Amino acid sequence: MNYRSVFDIIGPVMVGPSSSHTAGAAKIGRVARKLLGTVPIKAAVILYGSFAETYQGHGTDVAIAAGLLDFDERNPNLPDSLSIAEKQGMQITFTADKQTPVDHPNTVRISLTDGSEMMEIVGVSIGGGKIEINEVNGFSVSLSGSNPALLVLHHDRYGAVAEVAGMIATYEMNISYMQVSRKQKGSLALMVIQTDEEIGDDLVTGVSHLPNILNVAVLT
């Protein structure tokens, strides 16, 4: 394994016992909250592998609740996240699935809603506080959560990808990573675009007004 810095070895500064089970879990919950774009009122959390075996003892449930509250792993209120969520009227259920095989032991599926919009993601805590998002609303993706990203749900039509890329170019932004997933030809597709620069509201509005675009979410 190649480490980029000493923090890749010792892990992040955090509140909690484990970079994988606490810091990573909090980040996954926070990504779900950001992609929903608002405060969730309900969240259903399914834990797999090692998460399912040890989530209460290692505080994974507390950490995910913290993320859904938009707390990061350094927030001193993290240990009280479950009670804070309850006081705010957020209903969170946790299910330990010890039967379904997964590619990584620290895997979680989070489904949440604000009452009108819904979002479902599958995330993996890969160690050292680092995460990967492998699925968004049924689409296969590859997101680290460490770079600004634009998620664009659109009709699978000729020119849709080029128009979004062209819009980004008008803002003189560099695309560092791009992926397009679709369930079948000509139906719905999801673009995941990571950029070197922060993604502003003007760009989001511009992309939203392009033909064939259904929804735009930003992960920063």
Side-chain angles (χ1 to χ4, degrees), residues 39 41-43 57 59 67 71 74 78 85 95 97 105 111 126 143 149 152 154 183 187 195:
V39 181
I41 61 171
K42 290 184 180 180
F71 296 168
R74 298 178 298 275
L78 189 151
T95 302
D97 183 341
S111 305
I126 60 176
L143 275 171
V152 183
H154 61 100
K183 296 178 180 179
S187 61
T195 61

Side-chain angles (χ1 to χ4, degrees), residues 148-150 164-176 193-204 207 218:
L150 196 67
V164 173
M167 177 67 69
I168 293 172
T170 64
Y171 284 83
E172 299 183 350
M173 297 173 66
N174 187 50
I175 295 174
S176 59
I193 303 169
Q194 292 184 339
T195 61
D196 291 334
E197 299 81 15
E198 294 297 322
I199 298 168
D201 292 340
D202 290 346
L203 174 59
V204 174
V207 172
V218 178

